[in-house]
Amino acid sequence: MGGFRLTGAVRSVFVLFCFLISIIGAPGEQWGQITEQKAEFFAASDVADSQIELTKKWYEIAAKNWGNYGPLEFWIVGNNEVAAKTLDSKYCDIRKQKDPSIPIRHCLNRGHNFVSYAIRGNAGLNTRRNENEKWSGFIITMSAKFPGPKEEDYKSVVLHEYFHVYQHAHIHSRKRSLRESLHQQNPWWGEGGAEYMAQLLYSRQKGIRAGYLKERMERKLRSIKDLREGESIKDIPYGKRARIAYDLGAWFIAFIISKSSEEAYRVKFYKDLNSKGFEGSFVKHFGSSSKDLLDEFHNSFLKLSLEDKLKIIPSIN
Ligand SMILES: [Zn+2]
Protein backbone atom coordinates (compact mmCIF):
# COMPACT_ATOMS: atom_id res chain seq x y z
CA MET A 1 0.00 0.00 0.00
CA GLY A 2 1.31 3.45 -0.84
CA GLY A 3 1.80 5.70 2.16
CA PHE A 4 -0.36 8.73 2.74
CA ARG A 5 1.91 11.72 3.21
CA LEU A 6 1.16 15.34 3.77
CA THR A 7 3.56 17.99 2.57
CA GLY A 8 4.72 20.55 5.16
CA ALA A 9 2.33 23.32 4.15
CA VAL A 10 -0.67 21.01 3.85
CA ARG A 11 0.22 19.47 7.18
CA SER A 12 0.31 22.89 8.91
CA VAL A 13 -3.11 23.74 7.53
CA PHE A 14 -4.39 20.32 8.63
CA VAL A 15 -2.98 20.77 12.16
CA LEU A 16 -4.50 24.23 12.40
CA PHE A 17 -7.84 22.83 11.22
CA CYS A 18 -7.77 20.07 13.86
CA PHE A 19 -6.85 22.61 16.50
CA LEU A 20 -9.75 24.87 15.52
CA ILE A 21 -12.15 21.94 15.58
CA SER A 22 -10.99 21.03 19.07
CA ILE A 23 -11.64 24.59 20.24
CA ILE A 24 -14.81 25.62 18.42
CA GLY A 25 -16.33 22.34 17.35
CA ALA A 26 -16.87 20.63 14.04
CA PRO A 27 -18.08 22.65 11.05
CA GLY A 28 -21.83 22.82 10.85
CA GLU A 29 -22.17 22.15 14.55
CA GLN A 30 -25.21 23.89 15.98
CA TRP A 31 -23.96 24.51 19.52
CA GLY A 32 -25.49 27.65 20.96
CA GLN A 33 -27.95 28.06 18.09
CA ILE A 34 -31.68 27.95 18.65
CA THR A 35 -32.87 24.69 17.14
CA GLU A 36 -36.11 23.13 15.95
CA GLN A 37 -34.97 19.82 17.33
CA LYS A 38 -37.03 19.04 20.43
CA ALA A 39 -35.73 17.32 23.55
CA GLU A 40 -35.89 13.53 23.71
CA PHE A 41 -37.57 11.86 26.68
CA PHE A 42 -36.63 8.56 28.26
CA ALA A 43 -38.16 7.12 31.41
CA ALA A 44 -37.82 4.10 33.67
CA SER A 45 -40.65 1.54 33.46
CA ASP A 46 -42.10 2.56 36.84
CA VAL A 47 -42.51 6.23 35.86
CA ALA A 48 -46.11 7.25 35.20
CA ASP A 49 -47.00 8.84 31.85
CA SER A 50 -48.34 11.81 33.78
CA GLN A 51 -44.82 12.55 35.10
CA ILE A 52 -43.38 12.41 31.59
CA GLU A 53 -46.14 14.77 30.39
CA LEU A 54 -45.54 17.12 33.31
CA THR A 55 -41.81 17.27 32.57
CA LYS A 56 -42.50 17.90 28.86
CA LYS A 57 -44.96 20.66 29.67
CA TRP A 58 -42.44 22.60 31.78
CA TYR A 59 -39.63 22.01 29.29
CA GLU A 60 -41.90 23.49 26.59
CA ILE A 61 -42.59 26.55 28.76
CA ALA A 62 -38.85 27.07 29.32
CA ALA A 63 -37.94 26.57 25.66
CA LYS A 64 -40.71 28.89 24.49
CA ASN A 65 -39.50 31.67 26.78
CA TRP A 66 -35.74 31.28 26.54
CA GLY A 67 -35.29 29.57 23.18
CA ASN A 68 -35.00 25.91 22.32
CA TYR A 69 -31.41 24.68 22.71
CA GLY A 70 -29.93 21.26 22.40
CA PRO A 71 -29.26 18.49 21.73
CA LEU A 72 -31.14 17.75 24.96
CA GLU A 73 -32.23 14.51 26.57
CA PHE A 74 -34.46 14.12 29.62
CA TRP A 75 -34.06 10.92 31.63
CA ILE A 76 -36.74 10.32 34.24
CA VAL A 77 -36.06 7.87 37.04
CA GLY A 78 -38.64 6.38 39.42
CA ASN A 79 -38.26 4.73 42.82
CA ASN A 80 -37.56 1.23 41.58
CA GLU A 81 -33.84 0.41 41.52
CA VAL A 82 -34.17 -2.50 39.09
CA ALA A 83 -36.04 -0.30 36.63
CA ALA A 84 -33.37 2.40 37.11
CA LYS A 85 -30.67 -0.16 36.32
CA THR A 86 -32.42 -1.13 33.10
CA LEU A 87 -32.65 2.56 32.22
CA ASP A 88 -28.89 2.84 32.83
CA SER A 89 -28.22 0.17 30.17
CA LYS A 90 -30.49 1.96 27.74
CA TYR A 91 -28.66 5.20 28.53
CA CYS A 92 -25.30 3.60 27.76
CA ASP A 93 -26.63 2.17 24.48
CA ILE A 94 -27.72 5.66 23.46
CA ARG A 95 -24.35 7.14 24.48
CA LYS A 96 -22.60 4.50 22.37
CA GLN A 97 -24.92 5.22 19.43
CA LYS A 98 -24.27 8.95 19.60
CA ASP A 99 -20.56 8.63 20.24
CA PRO A 100 -19.06 5.22 19.32
CA SER A 101 -15.73 6.17 20.95
CA ILE A 102 -17.24 5.93 24.47
CA PRO A 103 -16.36 2.67 26.23
CA ILE A 104 -19.64 1.13 27.40
CA ARG A 105 -18.21 -0.27 30.66
CA HIS A 106 -17.03 3.19 31.60
CA CYS A 107 -20.57 4.46 31.04
CA LEU A 108 -22.22 1.74 33.14
CA ASN A 109 -19.78 2.26 36.01
CA ARG A 110 -20.23 5.99 36.19
CA GLY A 111 -20.55 7.36 39.71
CA HIS A 112 -23.83 9.24 39.55
CA ASN A 113 -25.96 6.70 37.70
CA PHE A 114 -29.76 6.34 37.63
CA VAL A 115 -29.77 3.81 40.49
CA SER A 116 -28.32 6.53 42.71
CA TYR A 117 -31.12 8.86 41.55
CA ALA A 118 -33.69 6.15 42.40
CA ILE A 119 -32.21 5.93 45.90
CA ARG A 120 -31.44 9.55 46.65
CA GLY A 121 -33.77 11.45 44.33
CA ASN A 122 -32.90 14.98 43.15
CA ALA A 123 -32.46 16.44 39.66
CA GLY A 124 -29.37 17.32 37.72
CA LEU A 125 -27.87 18.48 34.46
CA ASN A 126 -24.89 16.88 32.80
CA THR A 127 -23.38 19.08 30.08
CA ARG A 128 -21.31 17.03 27.68
CA ARG A 129 -18.96 19.26 25.79
CA ASN A 130 -15.25 18.69 25.85
CA GLU A 131 -12.19 18.10 23.72
CA ASN A 132 -12.33 14.29 23.95
CA GLU A 133 -15.89 13.36 23.07
CA LYS A 134 -17.45 13.90 19.68
CA TRP A 135 -21.02 14.31 20.91
CA SER A 136 -21.88 17.54 22.68
CA GLY A 137 -25.23 17.91 24.40
CA PHE A 138 -27.26 18.15 27.56
CA ILE A 139 -28.65 15.39 29.74
CA ILE A 140 -31.20 16.33 32.40
CA THR A 141 -32.17 13.74 34.99
CA MET A 142 -35.41 14.07 36.94
CA SER A 143 -36.48 11.65 39.64
CA ALA A 144 -39.34 10.62 41.93
CA LYS A 145 -38.33 12.61 45.00
CA PHE A 146 -36.66 15.85 46.16
CA PRO A 147 -38.67 16.97 44.30
CA GLY A 148 -41.25 14.41 43.27
CA PRO A 149 -43.81 15.07 40.53
CA LYS A 150 -46.56 15.89 43.05
CA GLU A 151 -44.58 18.71 44.63
CA GLU A 152 -44.90 22.26 43.34
CA ASP A 153 -41.10 22.52 43.23
CA TYR A 154 -40.88 19.85 40.52
CA LYS A 155 -42.05 22.42 37.96
CA SER A 156 -39.60 25.17 38.87
CA VAL A 157 -36.82 22.58 39.06
CA VAL A 158 -37.46 21.64 35.39
CA LEU A 159 -37.16 25.36 34.59
CA HIS A 160 -34.02 25.64 36.73
CA GLU A 161 -32.31 22.74 34.96
CA TYR A 162 -33.32 24.11 31.59
CA PHE A 163 -31.86 27.52 32.42
CA HIS A 164 -28.55 25.74 32.94
CA VAL A 165 -28.96 24.40 29.39
CA TYR A 166 -29.45 28.01 28.24
CA GLN A 167 -26.32 29.13 30.14
CA HIS A 168 -24.07 26.36 28.85
CA ALA A 169 -25.40 26.66 25.29
CA HIS A 170 -24.02 30.21 25.37
CA ILE A 171 -20.49 28.98 26.07
CA HIS A 172 -19.08 27.69 22.83
CA SER A 173 -15.60 26.45 23.68
CA ARG A 174 -14.79 22.80 24.30
CA LYS A 175 -11.94 23.78 26.61
CA ARG A 176 -12.76 23.01 30.22
CA SER A 177 -10.83 25.90 31.73
CA LEU A 178 -12.45 28.43 29.41
CA ARG A 179 -15.94 26.98 29.97
CA GLU A 180 -15.39 27.21 33.72
CA SER A 181 -14.22 30.77 33.63
CA LEU A 182 -17.17 31.92 31.51
CA HIS A 183 -19.69 30.12 33.73
CA GLN A 184 -17.78 30.74 36.98
CA GLN A 185 -16.64 27.69 38.90
CA ASN A 186 -18.42 28.47 42.16
CA PRO A 187 -22.22 28.26 42.26
CA TRP A 188 -23.17 31.90 43.04
CA TRP A 189 -23.42 32.95 39.38
CA GLY A 190 -24.70 29.88 37.52
CA GLU A 191 -26.97 28.55 40.26
CA GLY A 192 -28.11 32.00 41.33
CA GLY A 193 -29.14 32.74 37.75
CA ALA A 194 -30.86 29.39 37.18
CA GLU A 195 -32.75 29.69 40.43
CA TYR A 196 -33.90 33.28 40.01
CA MET A 197 -34.89 32.88 36.36
CA ALA A 198 -36.76 29.64 37.15
CA GLN A 199 -38.73 31.20 40.00
CA LEU A 200 -39.41 34.36 38.01
CA LEU A 201 -40.73 32.43 35.02
CA TYR A 202 -42.73 30.09 37.24
CA SER A 203 -44.31 33.04 39.08
CA ARG A 204 -45.56 34.40 35.72
CA GLN A 205 -47.52 31.31 34.78
CA LYS A 206 -51.30 31.26 34.85
CA GLY A 207 -52.83 30.36 38.18
CA ILE A 208 -49.72 31.00 40.29
CA ARG A 209 -50.58 33.09 43.35
CA ALA A 210 -49.58 36.76 43.20
CA GLY A 211 -47.29 36.68 46.23
CA TYR A 212 -45.39 33.57 45.11
CA LEU A 213 -42.09 35.15 44.03
CA LYS A 214 -41.71 37.45 47.04
CA GLU A 215 -42.53 34.54 49.34
CA ARG A 216 -39.87 32.32 47.72
CA MET A 217 -37.28 35.05 47.69
CA GLU A 218 -37.99 35.97 51.31
CA ARG A 219 -37.33 32.37 52.32
CA LYS A 220 -33.93 32.48 50.59
CA LEU A 221 -32.88 35.36 52.83
CA ARG A 222 -32.54 32.93 55.73
CA SER A 223 -29.11 32.15 54.30
CA ILE A 224 -27.84 35.61 55.29
CA LYS A 225 -27.28 34.33 58.84
CA ASP A 226 -24.97 31.59 57.50
CA LEU A 227 -22.76 34.02 55.60
CA ARG A 228 -19.58 34.61 57.59
CA GLU A 229 -18.36 38.08 58.52
CA GLY A 230 -16.80 39.66 55.42
CA GLU A 231 -17.45 36.56 53.29
CA SER A 232 -18.47 36.95 49.63
CA ILE A 233 -20.96 34.56 48.01
CA LYS A 234 -18.48 34.35 45.14
CA ASP A 235 -16.03 32.40 47.29
CA ILE A 236 -18.43 29.65 48.42
CA PRO A 237 -17.81 26.38 46.53
CA TYR A 238 -20.21 23.50 45.80
CA GLY A 239 -20.59 21.28 48.86
CA LYS A 240 -21.97 21.70 52.36
CA ARG A 241 -22.39 25.48 52.34
CA ALA A 242 -23.46 25.81 48.68
CA ARG A 243 -27.07 26.52 49.74
CA ILE A 244 -25.96 30.03 50.79
CA ALA A 245 -24.60 30.67 47.28
CA TYR A 246 -27.77 29.31 45.62
CA ASP A 247 -30.03 31.46 47.81
CA LEU A 248 -28.07 34.70 47.89
CA GLY A 249 -26.85 34.13 44.32
CA ALA A 250 -30.51 34.24 43.26
CA TRP A 251 -30.77 37.53 45.13
CA PHE A 252 -27.63 38.83 43.46
CA ILE A 253 -29.18 38.18 40.03
CA ALA A 254 -32.37 39.95 41.13
CA PHE A 255 -30.15 42.80 42.35
CA ILE A 256 -28.25 43.24 39.06
CA ILE A 257 -31.49 42.98 37.09
CA SER A 258 -32.96 45.75 39.27
CA LYS A 259 -29.96 47.91 38.31
CA SER A 260 -30.08 47.05 34.60
CA SER A 261 -32.85 44.97 33.07
CA GLU A 262 -33.92 41.40 32.59
CA GLU A 263 -32.93 41.74 28.94
CA ALA A 264 -29.43 42.89 29.94
CA TYR A 265 -28.92 39.82 32.10
CA ARG A 266 -30.76 37.10 30.23
CA VAL A 267 -30.07 38.11 26.63
CA LYS A 268 -27.29 40.65 26.23
CA PHE A 269 -24.83 39.37 28.83
CA TYR A 270 -24.98 35.85 27.39
CA LYS A 271 -24.79 37.08 23.81
CA ASP A 272 -21.46 38.82 24.44
CA LEU A 273 -20.04 36.22 26.81
CA ASN A 274 -17.87 34.33 24.28
CA SER A 275 -16.41 37.38 22.62
CA LYS A 276 -15.92 39.62 25.68
CA GLY A 277 -15.37 37.11 28.47
CA PHE A 278 -17.18 37.06 31.80
CA GLU A 279 -15.87 40.34 33.17
CA GLY A 280 -15.99 42.15 29.82
CA SER A 281 -19.63 41.26 29.25
CA PHE A 282 -20.45 41.97 32.90
CA VAL A 283 -19.03 45.51 32.81
CA LYS A 284 -20.62 46.22 29.42
CA HIS A 285 -24.12 45.24 30.49
CA PHE A 286 -24.24 45.99 34.21
CA GLY A 287 -22.12 49.14 34.16
CA SER A 288 -19.66 48.15 36.94
CA SER A 289 -17.13 45.44 37.63
CA SER A 290 -18.40 42.25 39.27
CA LYS A 291 -16.27 43.10 42.29
CA ASP A 292 -17.92 46.50 42.75
CA LEU A 293 -21.44 45.11 42.41
CA LEU A 294 -20.66 42.23 44.76
CA ASP A 295 -19.30 44.72 47.30
CA GLU A 296 -22.39 46.86 47.02
CA PHE A 297 -24.61 43.79 47.29
CA HIS A 298 -22.96 42.57 50.51
CA ASN A 299 -22.20 45.90 52.17
CA SER A 300 -25.33 47.88 51.30
CA PHE A 301 -28.11 45.83 49.75
CA LEU A 302 -28.12 42.85 52.12
CA LYS A 303 -28.12 45.28 55.05
CA LEU A 304 -31.40 46.91 53.99
CA SER A 305 -34.64 46.07 55.80
CA LEU A 306 -36.64 43.09 54.55
CA GLU A 307 -39.25 45.44 53.15
CA ASP A 308 -36.67 47.41 51.18
CA LYS A 309 -34.97 44.27 49.86
CA LEU A 310 -38.29 42.89 48.64
CA LYS A 311 -38.94 46.08 46.64
CA ILE A 312 -36.70 44.80 43.83
CA ILE A 313 -38.76 41.62 43.41
CA PRO A 314 -41.59 42.07 40.94
CA SER A 315 -45.11 41.29 42.14
CA ILE A 316 -46.97 39.47 39.46
CA ASN A 317 -50.74 39.28 39.29
ZN1 LIG B 1 -28.61 24.09 39.36
Side-chain angles (χ1 to χ4, degrees):
M1 294 284 283
F4 175 67
R5 291 218 173 82
L6 297 177
T7 65
V10 172
R11 190 191 296 131
S12 319
V13 170
F14 181 70
V15 167
L16 178 67
F17 179 73
C18 293
F19 173 73
L20 286 174
I21 282 183
S22 78
I23 302 291
I24 60 174
E29 193 179 52
Q30 299 296 299
W31 193 262
Q33 307 288 315
I34 287 186
T35 167
E36 296 278 294
Q37 190 196 345
K38 289 290 169 81
E40 293 177 274
F41 286 80
F42 305 91
S45 58
D46 62 325
V47 172
D49 287 347
S50 58
Q51 184 176 355
I52 304 173
E53 289 313 311
L54 180 73
T55 313
K56 265 188 194 159
K57 178 187 162 179
W58 289 90
Y59 150 69
E60 300 272 359
I61 291 172
K64 193 175 140 221
N65 280 275
W66 300 327
N68 188 58
Y69 295 92
L72 169 60
E73 297 168 7
F74 276 88
W75 292 81
I76 309 173
V77 181
N79 284 308
N80 187 303
E81 290 173 41
V82 178
K85 204 170 171 175
T86 307
L87 192 68
D88 267 319
S89 323
K90 174 151 189 189
Y91 172 85
C92 292
D93 287 345
I94 302 262
R95 295 277 68 77
K96 188 93 192 155
Q97 255 176 45
K98 294 192 178 179
D99 189 345
S101 67
I102 289 179
I104 200 140
R105 195 174 308 154
H106 189 251
C107 173
L108 285 168
N109 291 336
R110 71 196 198 281
H112 209 59
N113 58 19
F114 295 146
V115 175
S116 76
Y117 274 102
I119 297 167
R120 288 192 278 275
N122 224 321
L125 166 76
N126 175 359
T127 300
R128 308 287 281 254
R129 183 157 179 80
N130 58 57
E131 293 169 286
N132 308 318
E133 295 174 17
K134 288 192 196 75
W135 187 81
S136 293
F138 304 99
I139 297 160
I140 292 178
T141 306
M142 297 301 297
S143 72
K145 56 192 174 200
F146 316 127
K150 292 198 166 61
E151 292 174 69
E152 184 174 31
D153 277 351
Y154 189 91
K155 303 162 191 172
S156 61
V157 166
V158 175
L159 301 179
H160 174 116
E161 298 307 334
Y162 189 84
F163 198 75
H164 284 318
V165 170
Y166 175 87
Q167 293 169 324
H168 291 289
H170 284 82
I171 299 175
H172 298 164
S173 176
R174 287 176 175 267
K175 266 193 169 340
R176 188 193 164 111
S177 56
L178 182 55
R179 297 194 65 82
E180 264 177 14
S181 92
L182 295 179
H183 185 67
Q184 299 288 290
Q185 201 176 358
N186 284 342
W188 67 288
W189 182 254
E191 297 296 350
E195 187 52 21
Y196 187 62
M197 295 314 282
Q199 296 297 354
L200 183 62
L201 182 54
Y202 182 76
S203 73
R204 288 176 175 152
Q205 302 309 303
K206 247 204 203 128
I208 308 304
R209 56 201 179 277
Y212 173 86
L213 189 60
K214 282 184 193 264
E215 173 197 303
R216 282 306 168 110
M217 293 304 286
E218 183 175 342
R219 203 180 302 170
K220 293 182 193 300
L221 289 173
R222 290 179 194 159
S223 281
I224 292 180
K225 68 176 185 326
D226 301 319
L227 199 60
R228 293 170 183 152
E229 187 61 37
E231 185 179 42
S232 169
I233 54 171
K234 182 176 179 286
D235 298 322
I236 302 173
Y238 279 99
K240 260 197 288 183
R241 299 179 68 245
R243 172 55 46 201
I244 308 166
Y246 275 67
D247 287 350
L248 301 182
W251 269 99
F252 183 71
I253 301 299
F255 171 73
I256 60 169
I257 287 176
S258 77
K259 292 183 148 292
S260 55
S261 67
E262 213 179 306
E263 170 99 355
Y265 166 70
R266 213 269 296 163
V267 182
K268 294 180 177 167
F269 170 83
Y270 282 99
K271 205 168 163 209
D272 284 334
L273 186 55
N274 290 285
S275 58
K276 298 202 177 308
F278 179 85
E279 198 57 33
S281 193
F282 194 103
V283 171
K284 179 176 173 189
H285 297 295
F286 311 130
S288 308
S289 68
S290 60
K291 185 187 178 301
D292 285 353
L293 282 190
L294 278 161
D295 284 348
E296 189 185 335
F297 176 72
H298 290 86
N299 302 332
S300 310
F301 180 77
L302 288 184
K303 301 211 157 57
L304 295 174
S305 68
L306 171 64
E307 197 193 356
D308 282 342
K309 282 200 273 280
L310 284 172
K311 277 183 187 153
I312 68 165
I313 305 298
S315 341
I316 295 135
N317 297 297

